[in-house]
């Protein structure tokens, strides 16, 4: 009676197992947050083992520009890093930069599949187009990239200042991409009509990756020939080697990341005072906190809840506004005159889509973006689009991810099939980890040029050396993925777990396992799940004769 009572009233007591451990793969939050779809946990594991070339190959399988992204990406992966709940997120971008720079130094290359006989036209040599070309070429397709600008890079070159992204670094990574067999780059060749270009060039498919290089405007009265420009034109001019004269006091209208870059650029062009005019309060700042902090550290001031009324010889007149619960603003009628020699507008940008005018099946939406399906194909068969021109988060890394997805979809379409999107593993959160003990490991700090010495466009942030990059990779908690720490092996009271060898993980003998969950509770990264036994299964933990592991 005691045995029957225990088995029917208490789980885990008696001779029958009611649950069993199963090794599984989960999705780390860093991977989940990466717009380029990098397997961050995977390449960090290789980097922490000192397998740098393997780590680089794992990285560029998804993102061909690690030295660029390690510098200029806003690294949302770090915002999702579970390590942030302990001390500070892993400096993922710094390790990525280290691997990218090391690859350039060592001359690492990738393998390319045999030629497929297919030709693809890529319009735009920005991050979306370069990424798409890289992946298509590795699949064996012939790719021709055409760009209207005199040099490749798109908004990476003409929108990101050199103090964040040195041009020689960008040039080296672009050269590696365009040097892959099957890739042809043609700069200074604007595509006015995608349909005609596809037909005349004999291309089997087209990817449109043109960026948002046209600035939005505001109706601000400017009198007496006062200097007014937009941030996109300013940053592009400087990237081409120009030194536009803005004067001593410069006002920047807008509150996004581009506005911060415009303010910092103005300082480097000789402005002694820069003021950012933003229509919302600090809690609704559109720029990332780190970007805004850099601008403020370099001397920029911010006028919150203000809009520009007019700009003339008497200076810049701004009007104070109040925020409403719905996010709109209401003018107060209270104005103030500020000294200003120039005004820079940083209020967004849009894309020139005139090249799609003859592609009658392509839909341009009311917001000025191209409509695409889940595979980034437009309404016209064989014409795909990605990057800024399809909207969403207009970032370099998002565009890079679009290029990768489009390449895979194009490859499938050329073969007469549909791209099969792989299912994502379940996301692992911090509360799913088992970390009763962990080692304190402060985040590595990258050296940076002191603010007082930032007079030109030299790079501000330095990278990590090999020792610190490897240390930083070792801070990764390997969330959701087994790293063979042997905790489960040591914790099992029945010796039911067997090592399978390096890189092979573990096996569980169900003849010995009682389902006690000791392995699950001791797994620091939550690579084990306890699953219920199938109804009606023989769940006895041992056969009639007592059995031990050999």
């Amino acid at each position: 009676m005691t045995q029957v009572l225990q088995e029917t009233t208490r789980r885990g007591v008696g001779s029958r197992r009611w649950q069993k451990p199963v090794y599984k793969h989960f999705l780390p939050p860093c991977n989940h947050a990466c717009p380029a779809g990098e397997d961050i946990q995977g390449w960090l594991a290789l980097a922490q083992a000192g397998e740098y070339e393997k780590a680089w190959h794992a990285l560029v399988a998804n993102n061909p520009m690690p030295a660029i992204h390690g510098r200029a990406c806003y690294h949302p992966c770090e915002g999702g890093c579970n390590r942030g709940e302990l001390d500070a997120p892993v400096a993922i971008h710094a390790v990525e930069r280290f691997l990218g720079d090391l690859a350039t130094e060592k001359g690492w290359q990738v393998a390319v599949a045999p030629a497929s006989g297919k030709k693809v036209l890529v319009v735009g040599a920005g991050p979306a187009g370069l990424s798409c070309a890289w992946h298509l070429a590795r699949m064996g397709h012939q790719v021709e990239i055409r760009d209207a600008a005199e040099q490749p890079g798109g908004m990476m070159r003409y929108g990101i200042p050199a103090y964040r992204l040195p041009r020689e670094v960008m040039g080296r990574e672009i050269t590696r991409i365009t040097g892959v067999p099957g890739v042809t780059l043609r700069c200074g060749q604007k595509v006015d009509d995608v349909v005609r270009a596809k037909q005349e060039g004999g291309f089997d498919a087209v990817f449109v990756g043109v960026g948002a290089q046209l600035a939005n405007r505001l109706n601000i009265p400017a009198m007496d020939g006062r200097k007014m420009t937009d941030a996109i034109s300013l940053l592009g001019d400087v990237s081409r080697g120009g030194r536009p004269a803005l004067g001593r006091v410069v006002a920047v209208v807008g509150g996004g990341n581009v506005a911060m870059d415009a303010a910092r650029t103005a300082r480097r062009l000789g402005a002694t005072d820069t003021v950012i005019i933003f229509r919302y309060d600090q809690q609704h700042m559109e720029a990332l906190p780190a970007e805004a902090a850099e601008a403020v550290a370099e001397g920029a001031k911010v006028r919150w809840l203000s809009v520009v009324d007019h700009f003339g010889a008497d200076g810049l007149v701004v009007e104070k506004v109040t925020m409403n619960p719905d996010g709109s603003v209401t003018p107060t009628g209270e104005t103030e005159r500020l000294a200003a020699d120039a005004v820079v507008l940083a209020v967004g940008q849009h894309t020139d889509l005139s090249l799609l005018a003859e592609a009658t099946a392509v839909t341009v939406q009311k917001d000025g973006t191209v409509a695409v399906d889940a595979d980034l194909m437009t309404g016209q068969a064989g014409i795909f689009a990605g990057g800024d021109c399809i909207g969403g988060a207009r970032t370099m890394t998002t565009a890079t991810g679009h290029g990768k997805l489009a390449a895979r979809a194009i490859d499938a379409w050329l073969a007469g099939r549909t791209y099969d999107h792989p299912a994502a593993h379940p996301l692992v959160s911090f509360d799913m980890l088992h970390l009763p003990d962990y080692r304190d490991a402060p985040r590595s700090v990258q050296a940076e040029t002191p603010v007082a010495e930032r007079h030109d466009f030299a790079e501000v942030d330095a990278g990590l050396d090999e020792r610190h990059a490897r240390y930083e990779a070792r801070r990764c908690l390997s969330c959701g993925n087994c790293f063979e720490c042997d905790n489960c092996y040591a914790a099992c009271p029945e010796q039911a777990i067997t090592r399978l060898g390096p890189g092979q993980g573990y096996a569980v003998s169900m003849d010995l396992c009682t389902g006690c969950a000791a392995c699950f509770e001791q797994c620091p990264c939550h690579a084990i799940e306890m699953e219920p036994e199938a109804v009606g299964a023989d769940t006895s933990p041992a056969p009639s004769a007592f059995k031990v592991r050999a």
Side-chain angles (χ1 to χ4, degrees):
M1 287 294 294
T2 301
Q3 177 76 5
V4 173
L5 179 64
Q6 287 182 334
E7 290 191 359
T8 55
T9 61
R10 297 176 62 195
R11 280 185 165 183
V13 176
S15 62
R16 295 189 179 276
R17 184 178 61 242
W18 63 279
Q19 62 177 357
K20 60 182 179 182
V22 178
Y23 289 89
K24 289 187 174 183
H25 291 292
F26 288 83
L27 180 64
C30 55
N31 294 18
H32 177 68
C34 177
E38 292 181 16
D39 178 13
I40 295 171
Q41 183 274 326
W43 59 255
L44 278 177
L46 291 167
Q48 68 177 249
E51 299 281 357
Y52 301 128
E53 186 171 3
K54 289 182 179 179
W56 178 80
H57 278 284
L59 203 170
V60 298
N62 293 294
N63 180 357
M65 298 172 281
I68 291 174
H69 283 76
R71 289 170 164 84
C73 175
Y74 297 129
H75 38 84
C77 52
E78 295 181 19
C81 177
N82 281 331
R83 179 96 205 185
E85 299 288 339
L86 295 178
D87 38 39
V90 176
I92 298 167
H93 75 286
V95 184
E96 184 171 20
R97 168 179 171 163
F98 167 77
L99 292 174
D101 289 346
L102 188 62
T104 299
E105 176 187 333
K106 301 292 186 181
W108 294 335
Q109 299 294 332
V110 295
V112 176
S116 67
K118 300 293 185 180
K119 290 178 59 180
V120 181
L121 172 64
V122 171
V123 184
L130 291 169
S131 173
C132 186
W134 165 268
H135 292 288
L136 284 171
R138 295 194 64 187
M139 296 170 186
H141 304 303
Q142 186 177 345
V143 185
E144 182 176 317
I145 310 171
R146 296 184 189 176
D147 195 282
E150 61 273 18
Q151 291 182 288
M155 293 305 290
M156 294 189 300
R157 180 180 296 277
Y158 298 111
I160 301 177
Y163 59 77
R164 288 178 54 203
L165 180 56
R167 297 308 182 246
E168 60 274 14
V169 171
M170 178 172 55
R172 289 195 295 264
E173 288 213 306
I174 293 176
T175 297
R176 186 180 62 247
I177 293 172
T178 57
V180 173
V183 177
T184 302
L185 172 64
R186 302 189 189 281
C187 286
Q189 291 197 11
K190 183 179 181 180
V191 176
D192 295 311
D193 184 342
V194 163
V195 175
R196 186 174 72 247
K198 181 176 183 292
Q199 293 172 346
E200 293 178 352
F203 295 102
D204 299 290
V206 179
F207 174 70
V208 178
V210 292
Q213 298 190 9
L214 300 178
N216 295 341
R217 306 294 298 181
L218 286 178
N219 185 24
I220 298 177
M223 298 163 281
D224 303 315
R226 307 303 290 172
K227 176 72 173 180
M228 183 177 291
T229 187
D230 63 83
I232 300 301
S233 298
L234 172 66
L235 296 174
D237 189 6
V238 173
S239 294
R240 292 179 176 89
R243 299 282 298 183
L246 298 178
R248 186 179 64 84
V249 182
V250 177
V252 179
V253 181
N257 294 317
V258 175
M260 303 303 123
D261 279 335
R264 297 175 70 184
T265 296
R267 294 282 291 188
R268 286 163 171 79
L269 291 175
T272 56
D273 291 297
T274 55
V275 57
I276 297 169
I277 312 296
F278 189 51
R279 64 191 295 115
Y280 302 124
D281 57 21
Q282 188 169 3
Q283 287 68 39
H284 293 82
M285 170 67 91
E286 296 164 353
L288 293 175
E291 295 296 312
E294 286 287 343
V296 171
E298 292 183 7
K301 302 177 179 64
V302 184
R303 297 296 299 263
W304 308 105
L305 293 169
S306 301
V307 297
V308 177
D309 181 81
H310 70 270
F311 179 40
D314 54 350
L316 183 70
V317 177
V318 298
E319 181 176 6
K320 293 184 178 180
V321 297
T322 57
M323 279 197 67
N324 302 316
D326 63 357
S328 63
V329 297
T330 300
T332 63
E334 183 180 348
T335 62
E336 183 178 356
R337 182 173 283 104
L338 305 176
D341 299 308
V343 172
V344 180
L345 301 180
V347 291
Q349 53 258 29
H350 59 281
T351 306
D352 178 6
L353 296 176
S354 59
L355 76 168
L356 295 171
E358 299 303 318
T360 55
V362 175
T363 300
V364 177
Q365 303 176 108
K366 291 182 178 179
D367 62 355
T369 60
V370 179
V372 294
D373 62 15
D375 291 332
L376 301 186
M377 187 188 285
T378 67
Q380 192 145 332
I383 298 181
F384 297 75
D388 291 354
C389 67
I390 68 170
R394 285 176 164 169
T395 68
M396 173 183 66
T397 315
T398 299
T400 300
H402 288 173
K404 179 186 70 173
L405 172 58
R408 295 177 178 179
I410 291 170
D411 176 65
W413 185 80
L414 292 174
R417 53 185 174 82
T418 302
Y419 175 60
D420 184 17
H421 294 255
H425 295 302
L427 185 65
V428 59
S429 57
F430 178 76
D431 58 3
M432 295 169 66
L433 306 179
H434 303 122
L435 301 170
D437 296 299
Y438 66 92
R439 181 179 178 182
D440 288 329
R443 177 181 167 109
S444 300
V445 177
Q446 293 173 258
E448 60 180 36
T449 305
V451 172
E453 298 176 15
R454 300 179 191 178
H455 304 303
D456 55 19
F457 289 88
E459 186 172 17
V460 170
D461 294 322
L464 299 179
D465 59 20
E466 188 272 340
R467 182 173 68 87
H468 287 95
R470 190 171 181 183
Y471 159 83
E472 197 60 36
R474 285 172 171 164
R475 296 183 66 240
C476 174
L477 299 175
S478 193
C479 305
N481 292 274
C482 175
F483 61 99
E484 298 177 357
C485 66
D486 280 353
N487 274 20
C488 58
Y489 177 81
C492 180
E494 307 299 332
Q495 300 184 50
I497 296 177
T498 305
R499 296 190 189 102
L500 297 180
Q504 303 300 313
Y506 306 87
V508 180
S509 171
M510 290 304 159
D511 287 336
L512 299 173
C513 176
T514 63
C516 68
C519 56
F520 165 78
E521 293 168 354
Q522 289 299 317
C523 178
C525 58
H526 196 101
I528 301 175
E529 280 275 86
M530 298 303 297
E531 294 187 349
E533 285 283 2
V535 177
D538 180 7
T539 57
S540 175
S544 56
F546 186 71
K547 181 178 180 180
V548 295
R549 187 173 60 128

